[in-house]
Amino acid sequence: MAVHRKRFRVEDIVSGEMPIIDVTEEAGPMHSEIMAELRAIRAQMAKGAAPLSGSAAMAAIDASTAHELSEARTMLETYRAQIEQCEKLKVELDLIHDAIDRTKREIATLHGKSFDGGEMAKVNGELGAVVGGTEQATQQILEAAESIDQAASAMSKVDSVDQQKRLADDIQERVISIFEACNFQDLTGQRISKVMTTMKFIEQHINAMMDIWGGVDAIKAHVPAQVDNRSEDEKLLNGPKLTGDVGHASQDDIDALFD
């Protein structure tokens, strides 16, 4: 029995019996499709911006980076200037806060020691006592002087030694009364010294507050204009003159009226 051996495809191709497969018919359509897709992609890329070369792209990147750095520096300088202004403002606000705090302490000291009612009432009492003591002493001196005048007149009219002695004793007693009345000056001086101490205390703290806010010159800029609402007669009543006072008539001015 004959054995049939299987023939391989290679043997058929070599012997020429098996037809060669035409691959061009299958590859042709695939190649054309790929080329068509490539042409379409190339057309789409042509519609867009032309691609930059390597050096042009680097230059564009460098320019953009330099612009961003310039803007960042400008913004940084702006922020730095604003921070400096804020620091200056903080310093000024700290100075104002310190000045206000010191002024509060000065006012509290004045209120606690001078304007709490008790001290000012004491000052008013001392000044009232000065006025009352001066008035009482003046009245006593005037009465004694009047009595002395009457006793001296009567002494010139009497011849009796006893009456003259009684009148002389009365005059001497009135003189002693005048000396006693003159003691009001010492009491008045003590009372006024107390008032002056309080006034100096107030003046010192007011000057301290003025120094806190720039001194006298700075305060003068805020002083309102003074308006003299006194009548013509009141303007002539300037009171006793102190050394250096203006607006008072001197003795030379009075003497000039009679020349």
Side-chain angles (χ1 to χ4, degrees):
M1 181 176 180
V3 178
H4 297 282
R5 185 175 61 86
K6 181 180 179 181
R7 289 176 63 86
F8 294 96
R9 189 170 58 178
V10 176
E11 295 175 351
D12 294 335
I13 293 173
V14 172
S15 62
E17 295 179 358
M18 185 176 180
I20 300 173
I21 299 174
D22 188 4
V23 295
T24 59
E25 294 180 359
E26 296 179 359
M30 184 178 297
H31 176 73
S32 62
E33 290 177 1
I34 292 173
M35 295 303 294
E37 292 293 335
L38 289 174
R39 285 193 295 270
I41 293 172
R42 187 176 299 164
Q44 291 179 358
M45 293 177 64
K47 292 181 181 178
L52 298 174
S53 62
S55 60
M58 291 301 297
I61 294 173
D62 292 340
S64 177
T65 303
H67 180 68
E68 292 178 358
L69 287 175
S70 177
E71 290 183 349
R73 289 193 184 96
T74 303
M75 187 178 298
L76 182 61
E77 292 297 330
T78 302
Y79 289 158
R80 186 175 297 166
Q82 292 177 353
I83 291 173
E84 290 178 357
Q85 292 295 329
C86 291
E87 290 177 351
K88 292 179 180 179
L89 180 60
K90 182 180 181 301
V91 172
E92 295 294 334
L93 290 176
D94 289 340
L95 291 175
I96 294 174
H97 178 271
D98 182 64
I100 292 174
D101 186 62
R102 291 167 58 191
T103 305
K104 286 182 178 180
R105 290 198 298 268
E106 296 293 338
I107 293 175
T109 303
L110 287 175
H111 184 271
K113 295 185 178 181
S114 298
F115 294 103
D116 59 348
E119 190 69 22
M120 294 308 297
K122 184 178 180 181
V123 169
N124 292 331
E126 295 290 349
L127 292 176
V130 168
V131 174
T134 303
E135 182 179 0
Q136 182 180 359
T138 302
Q139 185 68 25
Q140 184 177 347
I141 291 172
L142 290 175
E143 291 178 355
E146 184 178 1
S147 298
I148 290 172
D149 181 65
Q150 292 176 357
S153 299
M155 185 180 295
S156 63
K157 296 178 182 179
V158 297
D159 297 329
S160 174
V161 177
D162 293 337
Q163 290 181 348
Q164 290 179 354
K165 186 177 182 306
R166 285 197 300 270
L167 292 173
D169 292 339
D170 185 52
I171 291 173
Q172 186 175 7
E173 182 179 353
R174 296 300 180 180
V175 170
I176 294 173
S177 177
I178 291 175
F179 288 149
E180 291 176 351
C182 287
N183 290 329
F184 84 95
Q185 183 178 3
D186 181 53
L187 297 177
T188 299
Q190 294 179 17
R191 296 183 186 279
I192 292 178
S193 295
K194 295 180 182 179
V195 175
M196 289 299 297
T197 300
T198 303
M199 293 297 104
K200 287 180 179 179
F201 174 80
I202 296 173
E203 181 182 10
Q204 289 174 357
H205 287 275
I206 291 177
N207 289 335
M209 285 187 284
M210 293 172 65
D211 292 336
I212 291 171
W213 294 104
V216 178
D217 294 335
I219 299 299
K220 286 181 179 179
H222 301 279
V223 176
Q226 295 182 356
V227 179
D228 193 354
N229 296 322
R230 297 179 299 172
S231 63
E232 294 299 327
D233 293 337
E234 290 176 344
K235 292 180 180 179
L236 298 175
L237 301 176
N238 295 311
K241 182 179 182 301
L242 294 175
T243 303
D245 282 352
V246 296
H248 295 263
S250 64
Q251 187 62 42
D252 294 336
D253 297 332
I254 297 173
D255 295 338
L257 296 175
F258 299 96
D259 293 341

